[in-house]
Amino acid sequence: MSAELPAKLRRAAILQSGIVTRKQAINAGMPRNAIEWKVRSERWRHVYRGVYATFTGPLPRSAQLWAAVLYAGEGAVLSHESAGELQHLVDT
């Protein structure tokens, strides 16, 4: 994750295991063409439609879960086994 991100987006990326949405990036003041450039230059990876990893390499499990929740939209949460996994109540 790069320090060149707007501060608001950088904070979101840190809290969300390096995963951000297009909407979050735009709301943080990032121009649309900057988002597209990051994807084209492979600095960011397209995970789902409108959801990006702000790093290269494999997606850790926490990033996979964040990507799914962010793709599902506002109000989405993890439940059952995936929530239990984060609380170390069940295996992955």
Side-chain angles (χ1 to χ4, degrees), residues 42-65:
E42 298 182 355
R43 296 183 192 298
W44 284 10
R45 182 176 5 161
H46 190 244
V47 181
Y48 297 118
R49 186 173 188 237
V51 179
Y52 309 97
T54 61
F55 55 90
T56 59
L59 287 180
R61 181 69 173 154
S62 61
Q64 293 172 10
L65 295 173

Side-chain angles (χ1 to χ4, degrees), residues 5-74:
L5 297 178
K8 183 178 177 181
L9 186 61
R10 191 170 47 252
R11 284 191 298 273
I14 290 167
L15 291 172
Q16 297 167 179
S17 298
I19 304 296
V20 298
T21 66
R22 181 176 186 82
K23 183 177 181 180
Q24 287 176 319
I26 290 168
N27 287 345
M30 196 166 188
R32 286 174 172 79
N33 62 347
I35 297 166
E36 293 160 8
W37 179 83
K38 290 212 177 264
V39 174
R40 275 194 321 272
S41 66
E42 298 182 355
R43 296 183 192 298
W44 284 10
R45 182 176 5 161
H46 190 244
V47 181
Y48 297 118
R49 186 173 188 237
V51 179
Y52 309 97
T54 61
F55 55 90
T56 59
L59 287 180
R61 181 69 173 154
S62 61
Q64 293 172 10
L65 295 173
W66 267 111
V69 168
L70 292 170
Y71 178 71
E74 193 172 327

